């Protein structure tokens, strides 16, 4: 006790001399002392009676259940500073552990740190340890995704694909939908810290946001009578193959299974502008048509729309209301693919074609040129035709 | 206790590498080589280490193995999944030298991996590795044969994940039909974060998953934080849980189809609750038959149980074939459990086995008799090491243990691992037997309850001296029996290594059958979401608003060392002090208060004197008289009464001196009156405490104190103000609070206007900005307001004279209100508003009649439930509105202008970021 500041020592003496009690008395919202709070002093004052002066759980208080020993580091509700701060703020109901909500916050923070320090050395996860890097091969990270943009929800089941060219593709995995594309470093596994369960921290800058991060179903079946049915895409597999990766989902309608869809992601190899390519391998529709949403909201200004395939590509260039330019290119490997307006924005439409094979393959390119000026049309199309 | 005759070295070879590894593991003292043990009694740990060695396996460089799952490949390599979403394949894990183990990263990027199972390849096919992620059961396939998985197949994701951190998924045993078993944690969410909640499907359930169809079948429910599963040697499935709400200690449950284990949250996903769209209460005991725990692990041995594994090594791990070994994380030890079937139910005994291993979450046996342990405690806490792989091996030296415990109708038959020494006599006095049970409630865990000693009448050793029959005066079912056996030693002189077991007696062998449980439903304690619930803070935020006074200031104060009979004050907000000295008035609350607990913190300078008067009538002396032996101490005394009753000194002198803050608490019961206003019961000071020292108990006050602010006995009443009278000396006050006694509320005449399910009939204000956004969520009993500004109008719009009440909670920075007699329409409603605001900047706080009668003191902190009761009726001269918080009327206002005649009740959602909760919303129309 002799190393305590005088005021604290006196108060501690007052409490220690008191007869047993199960509630420690709350203090006023503002501390009388203006010094930085000492966790050790506060521990002696508020905790030692039950938890022992050394934190070994052997205090002077008679309890019907022993107080926790802090020396081994176990805690009822987590051992992170925040978790312990919360526990000592609110107490543990059903136990003699009271809440110290009225202690000043800095004292409670100091106490949490002190109590942690009583235990075995903490193995802190360093930020470097938690960063996943992408080398020569694509890398997948599964985990909770934070909101990709204001107003977009978190996704407890998320999937992040990093490719060697520095793109990361962010999907919700419960119903496979691309939310956005990032460029830069890959991801920090912030769920490796604390108690876990926190969202991943994607590190790249968002370069393309699909429908503001809240995309509708990617795939829609349109029946011959025009009825359209959004299809769920249930994740079935992920495959890493060198620098690229393929995601496989099962297309499921309210009453029908439509088969598997494979989607492979890569950087777009187009000299006009940077961007990314989504290569789809889809079940051919047996009736009506299948639409693939391109991730761009309806509205905005159409700068270019080609109707005849140029070098196999059909192009749609849009200026979104906010000004950014998207060059959307579509190429079908078998059968025909048309760019059509859908209820949420432009789509690729694959119609049923009698006599065609069971699968269809299309490439969808999204280029992000930053600006669009006269003559760009030629640059875009001539490069496409090569 | 006997010292062993010889401390024989362990039979195993000690290679230099092994010795080095052992030396590196500070938690593994090598007792056999410890010179000190030759001259003193070895500790239990040292004795354990003579029989079971603990060896830590160095992890691969740079890696942290937070182990969540373990299984063997057919070729003897170990597969390890971790909470970091990695899967490692480890070769040579059983080599003599633990550092010979080689690690290969097989998969990464997964969302945790708290369970893993290998499906043995049939007919030469490769083994299949299946890992349990937080939200998915996944098979990892190495298609290109490079030693790392490239294809992750989703086998099932048929359960919910809300995003709450605590929603771990644990596994992963596999039955003979190839189906997997997964247990799902409940979530811990604010504000009652210590209650496990099931807000996504099947949280709190154990599921069986068919890997071919991906379909999950709910098998058992009522789980809280079921960290570990495992089959026993006979193929029975068990699941452990972790103590907390509705889990009095760590249990081992025998899993049977349809079993419910006691935690209510999971019931939300039963057909009954789904059909009724009901939410199980997390405060009331679930109305459902519970399956008892086969074994309750005593708290002192287990605070966080992991998984379990039967010893299937045919004696290579010692003589405990088919018994169950349980991973214990917090204490970092290995426990042993032995069960038997009694009246068709499995139950049995728990023993300690080996301490100081590390934060064991997973255990798995190897055929050679090695027990592999997987450790992790990140965020949970536990004995170091916090992570990594460890192995426990039998040295080959048998320990004298209680091998098997068989329950008799009136005692136990205990079989030892070895014969008891010929000269060792075991008498009833060597046996200590107690029984206890637990409370089942929503509070965190339970102490051992109803502990009673059981008389031991006889002890009888069998002829071969291996079996001891303990006869008692009678055992009770539905209790745990703790038996401690002293003085037993084997032929070689070894004493019992562990002399204690805890046997969970659900049933006695010969009955009668009991429906009681070891965990018994206890009267639920009063709800407590925070230390502040039920209190009114009378000096918080605006310290003077709740008081009628003159001459008091909010300052920082300490005793002036140069003039110790006075305070040195400076600007601050640490205390309220009568800085005006003699010109200061009494410090009188403007809210009338009655039954309840009064909490006053005060500090006196030298020679300081003051009085605290409950209801302005019943006084307690405060006096700095501890240092003056010439004066009869009066501090804490009850003042003499006006009817001549003398002053009453305190039972203890608890006062610590000038300059020290003290807490005075008074539990008070106001006088009672009959319908004609005649007093029928005196006021009672139930308890008066100073710094928790009891000064007075159950003192009846036949009259007000002489000299009280209101000493006229004719004025005694149910309610009155709290008054602090400083007299001539300075006094410093802080943290003045009142917690009214909660009386049961009558629902007579009260009509619930929110049905708990939906908002049928209620209407949103017509000007809400975004129709899509859900602002008001019917969350079961609780209606939650969120989103941008909106108002929710009651179905009825003709309320005139009526009262409305609700339990309400507002978040930090939130703002809401309860409108009365309000017209339906856009904008801020036209009506009277009882304000709901704890910490938002608006100075009008909870209890205010908005714009007409402000309450500026922050009576209730954010995030804390309070009772709100508003009465609105016309009377001569105007419309009277009274607003009570936690039963105390804080606003009583007469609107002489009669601004609003009749209308709806409306609830306010003030702004995005505000979150208000209403429950028990009821109206009573006044005649």
């Amino acid at each position: 006790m002799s190393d305590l500041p005088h005021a604290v020592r006196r108060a501690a003496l007052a409490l220690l001399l008191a007869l047993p009690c199960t509630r420690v008395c709350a203090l006023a919202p503002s501390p009388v002392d203006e010094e930085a709070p000492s966790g050790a002093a506060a521990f002696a004052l508020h905790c030692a009676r039950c938890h022992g002066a050394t934190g070994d759980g052997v205090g002077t208080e008679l309890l019907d259940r022993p107080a926790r020993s802090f020396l081994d580091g176990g805690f009822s509700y987590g051992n992170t500073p925040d978790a312990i701060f919360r526990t000592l703020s609110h107490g543990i109901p059903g136990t003699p552990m009271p809440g110290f909500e009225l202690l000043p916050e800095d004292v409670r923070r100091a106490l949490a740190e002190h109590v942690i320090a009583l235990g075995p050395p903490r193995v802190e996860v360093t930020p470097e340890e938690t960063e996943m890097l992408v080398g020569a091969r694509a890398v997948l990270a599964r985990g909770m995704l934070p909101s990709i943009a204001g107003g977009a929800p978190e996704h407890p089941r998320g999937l992040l694909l990093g490719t060697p060219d520095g793109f990361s593709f962010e999907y919700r995995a419960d119903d496979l939908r691309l939310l956005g594309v990032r460029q830069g470093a890959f991801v920090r596994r912030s769920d490796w810290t604390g108690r876990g369960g926190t969202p991943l921290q994607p590190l790249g800058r968002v370069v393309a946001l699909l429908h503001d991060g809240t995309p509708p179903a990617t795939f829609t079946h349109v029946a011959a009578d025009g009825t359209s049915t959004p299809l769920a895409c249930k994740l079935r597999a992920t495959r890493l193959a060198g620098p690229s990766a393929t995601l496989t989902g099962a297309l499921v309608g309210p009453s029908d299974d439509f088969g598997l869809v494979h989607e492979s992601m890569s950087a777009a190899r187009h000299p006009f502008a940077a961007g990314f390519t989504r290569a789809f391998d889809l079940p051919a529709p047996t009736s009506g048509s299948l639409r693939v949403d391109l991730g761009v909201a309806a509205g905005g200004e159409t700068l270019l729309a080609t109707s005849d395939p140029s070098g196999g590509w059909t192009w749609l260039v849009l200026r979104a209301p906010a000004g950014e330019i998207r060059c959307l290119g579509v190429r079908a490997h078998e059968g025909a693919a048309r760019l059509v307006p859908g209820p949420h924005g432009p789509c690729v439409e694959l119609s049923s074609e009698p006599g065609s094979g069971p699968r269809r393959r299309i490439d969808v390119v999204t280029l992000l040129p930053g600006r669009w000026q006269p003559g760009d049309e030629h640059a875009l199309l001539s490069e496409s035709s090569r | 206790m006997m010292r062993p005759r010889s401390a024989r070295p362990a039979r195993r070879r000690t290679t230099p590498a092994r010795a080095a590894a052992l030396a590196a593991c500070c938690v593994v003292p090598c007792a056999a080589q410890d010179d000190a043990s030759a001259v003193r009694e070895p500790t239990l740990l040292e004795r354990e280490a003579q029989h079971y060695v603990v060896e830590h396996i160095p992890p691969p460089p740079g890696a942290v193995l937070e182990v969540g799952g373990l299984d063997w490949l057919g070729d003897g390599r170990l597969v390890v999944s971790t909470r970091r979403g990695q899967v490692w394949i480890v070769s040579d894990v059983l080599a003599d030298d633990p550092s010979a183990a080689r690690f290969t990263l097989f998969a990464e990027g997964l969302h945790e991996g708290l369970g893993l199972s290998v499906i043995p390849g049939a007919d030469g096919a490769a083994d299949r590795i299946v890992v349990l992620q937080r939200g998915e059961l996944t098979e990892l396939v190495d298609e290109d044969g490079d030693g790392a998985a490239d294809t992750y197949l989703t086998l099932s994701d048929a359960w919910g994940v809300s995003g709450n951190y605590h929603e771990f998924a644990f596994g992963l045993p596999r039955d003979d039909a190839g189906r997997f078993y997964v247990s799902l944690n409940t979530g811990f969410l604010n504000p009652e974060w210590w209650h496990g909640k099931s807000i996504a499907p099947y949280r709190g359930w154990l599921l069986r998953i068919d890997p071919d169809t991906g379909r999950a079948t709910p098998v058992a429910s009522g789980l809280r934080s079921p960290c570990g599963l495992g089959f026993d040697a006979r193929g029975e499935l068990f699941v452990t849980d972790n103590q907390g709400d509705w889990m009095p200690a760590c249990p081992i449950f025998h899993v049977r189809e349809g079993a419910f284990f006691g935690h209510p949250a999971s019931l939300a996903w039963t057909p009954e609750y789904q059909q009724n769209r009901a939410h199980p209460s997390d405060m009331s005991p679930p109305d459902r038959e519970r399956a008892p725990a086969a074994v309750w692990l005593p708290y002192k041995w287990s605070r966080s149980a992991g998984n379990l594994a039967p010893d299937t090594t045919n004696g290579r791990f010692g003589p405990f074939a088919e018994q169950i070994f349980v991973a214990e994380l917090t204490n970092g030890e290995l426990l042993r459990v032995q069960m038997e079937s009694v009246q068709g139910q499995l139950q049995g005994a728990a023993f300690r086995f080996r301490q100081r291993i590390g934060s064991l979450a997973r255990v798995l046996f190897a055929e050679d008799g090695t027990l592999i342990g997987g450790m992790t405690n990140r965020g949970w806490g536990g004995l170091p090491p916090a992570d990594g792989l460890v192995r426990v091996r039998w040295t080959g030296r048998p320990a004298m243990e209680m091998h098997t415990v068989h329950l008799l109708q009136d005692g136990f038959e205990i079989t030892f691992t070895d014969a008891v020494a010929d000269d060792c006599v075991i008498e009833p006095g060597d046996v200590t037997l107690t029984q206890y049970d637990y409370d089942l409630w929503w509070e965190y865990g339970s102490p051992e309850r109803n502990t009673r000693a059981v008389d031991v009448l006889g002890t009888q050793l069998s002829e071969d001296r291996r079996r001891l029959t303990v006869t008692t005066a009678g055992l009770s079912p539905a209790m745990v029996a703790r038996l401690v056996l002293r003085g037993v030693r084997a032929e070689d002189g070894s004493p019992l290594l562990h002399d204690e077991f805890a046997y969970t007696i659900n049933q006695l062998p010969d009955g009668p059958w009991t429906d009681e449980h070891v965990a018994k439903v206890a009267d639920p304690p009063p709800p407590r979401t925070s230390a502040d619930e039920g209190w009114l803070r009378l000096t918080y935020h605006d310290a003077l608003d709740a008081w009628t006074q003159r001459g008091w200031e909010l300052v920082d104060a300490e005793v002036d060392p140069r003039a110790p009979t006075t305070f040195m004050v400076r600007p601050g907000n640490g205390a309220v002090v009568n800085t005006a000295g003699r010109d200061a008035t009494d410090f009188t609350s403007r809210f009338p208060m009655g039954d309840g607990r009064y909490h006053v913190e005060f500090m006196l300078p030298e020679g300081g004197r003051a009085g605290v008067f409950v209801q302005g009538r019943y006084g307690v002396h405060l006096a700095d008289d501890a240092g003056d032996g010439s004066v009869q101490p009066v501090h804490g005394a009850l003042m003499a009464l006006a009817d001549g009753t003398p002053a009453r000194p305190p039972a203890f002198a608890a006062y610590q001196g000038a300059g020290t803050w003290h807490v005075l608490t008074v539990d008070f019961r106001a006088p009672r009156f009959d319908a004609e206003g005649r007093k029928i019961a005196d006021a009672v000071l139930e308890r008066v405490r100073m710094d928790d020292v009891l000064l007075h108990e159950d003192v009846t006050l036949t009259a007000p104190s002489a000299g009280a602010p209101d000493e006229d006995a004719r004025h005694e009443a149910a309610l009155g103000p709290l008054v602090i009278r400083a007299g001539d000396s300075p006094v410093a006050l802080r943290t003045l609070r009142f917690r009214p006694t909660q009386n049961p509320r009558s629902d007579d005449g009260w009509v619930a206007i929110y049905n708990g399910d939906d908002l049928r009939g209620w209407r949103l204000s017509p000007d809400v900005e975004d129709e899509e956004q859900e602002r008001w969520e019917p969350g079961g009993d609780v209606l939650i307001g969120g989103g941008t500004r909106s108002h929710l109008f009651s179905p009825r719009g003709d309320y005139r004279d009526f009262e409305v009440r609700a339990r309400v909670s507002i978040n930090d920075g939130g703002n809401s209100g309860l409108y009365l007699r309000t017209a339906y329409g856009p904008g801020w409603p036209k009506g009277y508003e009882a304000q709901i605001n704890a910490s938002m900047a608006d100075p009008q706080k909870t209890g205010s009649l908005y714009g007409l009668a402000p309450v500026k003191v922050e009576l209730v902190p954010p995030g804390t439930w309070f009772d709100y009761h508003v009465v609105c009726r016309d009377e001569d001269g105007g419309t009277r509105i009274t607003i009570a918080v936690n039963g105390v009327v804080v606003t009583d206002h007469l609107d002489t202008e009669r601004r609003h005649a009749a209308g709806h009740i409306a609830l306010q959602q003030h702004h995005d970021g505000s979150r208000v909760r209403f429950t028990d919303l009821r109206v009573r129309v006044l005649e």
Side-chain angles (χ1 to χ4, degrees), chain A residues 259-284:
Chain A
L260 297 180
V261 56
H262 308 289
E263 179 179 357
S264 301
M265 316 299 300
S266 59
R269 312 270 174 236
H270 198 292
F272 175 66
F276 55 91
T277 302
R278 307 169 74 184
F280 291 99
D281 178 337
L282 301 146

Side-chain angles (χ1 to χ4, degrees), chain B residues 527-535 739 807 861 863-866 886:
Chain B
R528 190 176 82 221
T529 51
S530 81
D532 284 318
E533 191 162 310
W535 286 93
R739 187 181 64 192
R807 297 269 295 157
T864 302
W865 287 101
F866 61 92
N886 285 338

Side-chain angles (χ1 to χ4, degrees), chain A residues 10-11 13-15 17-32 34 49 64-69 71-80 83 86-87 89-95 97-102 120-121 123-125 129 132 137 139-144 154 156-158 173-174 189 191-198 234-241, chain B residues 62 64 66 83-86 108-112 133-136 143-144 146 150-154 157-165 168 188 190 193-194 224 243-245 248 299 303 330 356 377-384 386-387 441-447 449 528-532 537 540 556-557 570 573-574 599 601 652 656-658 660-661 663 691-693 734-735 737:
Chain A
R10 185 159 191 180
L13 191 66
L15 277 173
L17 288 175
L19 289 182
C21 70
T22 53
R23 286 284 171 273
V24 176
C25 318
L27 298 184
S30 69
V32 174
E34 285 181 346
R49 229 172 357 157
D64 58 4
R65 254 189 338 165
R68 181 156 308 254
S69 160
L71 305 186
D72 288 345
F75 295 92
S76 292
Y77 287 106
N79 65 351
T80 61
R86 190 163 73 162
T87 303
S89 296
H90 298 288
I92 301 179
T95 72
M97 172 68 188
F100 291 85
E101 211 165 7
L102 297 187
V123 183
E124 290 286 3
V125 182
E129 255 187 293
M132 282 184 86
R137 302 160 64 95
V139 176
L140 272 168
R142 299 288 299 274
M144 177 153 66
E154 287 185 335
R157 285 186 173 99
D174 48 348
R189 297 248 32 162
D191 58 337
W192 289 3
T193 60
R195 298 169 296 187
T198 42
K234 303 293 291 175
L235 180 66
R236 285 286 177 266
T238 61
R239 275 191 180 78
L240 298 173
Chain B
V64 178
E66 299 175 328
R83 291 170 68 199
R84 296 192 173 192
Q86 296 174 327
E108 63 176 335
L110 300 166
H111 194 185
E112 300 173 347
Q133 301 190 64
R134 176 176 280 244
E136 188 182 297
E143 285 189 338
D144 63 8
D146 67 351
D150 37 53
T151 298
Y152 299 0
L153 300 172
T154 304
D157 61 357
W159 64 90
V161 183
S162 78
N164 181 263
Y165 84 94
F168 302 106
F188 286 163
N190 287 329
W193 49 274
W194 52 85
R224 175 182 175 272
Q243 58 150 356
D245 53 322
Y299 175 82
R303 290 184 281 165
T330 308
R356 312 281 320 165
N377 73 13
R378 169 164 50 87
W380 307 333
L383 186 81
D387 41 62
W441 55 9
W442 60 259
E443 294 260 32
Y444 187 93
S446 164
R449 294 290 197 204
R528 190 176 82 221
T529 51
S530 81
D532 284 318
R537 306 187 299 179
Y540 202 91
D556 281 343
R570 57 182 189 279
N573 63 351
H599 175 112
E601 300 189 15
F652 294 94
Q656 298 297 326
T660 300
W661 282 98
V663 181
D691 295 340
D692 278 337
V693 178
R734 69 180 186 188
T735 315
R737 316 169 94 205

Side-chain angles (χ1 to χ4, degrees), chain B residues 637-660:
Chain B
L638 303 185
M639 296 176 185
L641 303 185
D643 65 3
T645 308
R648 183 186 175 95
F652 294 94
Y655 181 72
Q656 298 297 326
T660 300

Side-chain angles (χ1 to χ4, degrees), chain B residues 49 71 86 90 133-134 230 266 270 365 417 449 464 503 514 625 627 670 699 771 828 855 904:
Chain B
D71 205 357
Q86 296 174 327
V90 195
Q133 301 190 64
R134 176 176 280 244
S266 56
T270 57
F365 276 102
T417 52
R449 294 290 197 204
D464 63 2
Y503 188 107
T514 178
D625 55 6
V699 180
E771 287 296 338
W828 302 109
V855 171
H904 293 269

Side-chain angles (χ1 to χ4, degrees), chain B residues 692-703:
Chain B
D692 278 337
V693 178
L694 189 61
L695 305 185
H696 304 279
E697 191 167 19
D698 277 332
V699 180
T700 300
L701 302 167
T702 48

Side-chain angles (χ1 to χ4, degrees), chain A residues 148-201:
Chain A
I148 190 170
E154 287 185 335
H155 291 284
R157 285 186 173 99
L159 187 160
L160 198 63
L161 164 67
T163 56
D165 38 48
F167 281 104
S168 8
F169 299 89
E170 202 165 319
Y171 288 84
R172 55 184 281 191
D174 48 348
D175 184 3
L176 201 58
R177 295 181 198 180
L178 182 63
L179 306 171
V181 180
R182 295 173 183 267
Q183 201 169 17
F186 184 41
V187 66
R188 178 158 288 143
R189 297 248 32 162
S190 33
D191 58 337
W192 289 3
T193 60
R195 298 169 296 187
T198 42
L200 300 173
Q201 192 187 340

Side-chain angles (χ1 to χ4, degrees), chain B residues 590 844-845 847-855 883 890-893:
Chain B
R590 63 182 176 93
Q844 300 194 50
K845 303 295 183 189
S848 301
L849 180 62
Y850 203 87
L852 297 176
V855 171
I883 302 175
V890 298
T891 289
D892 184 351
H893 181 78

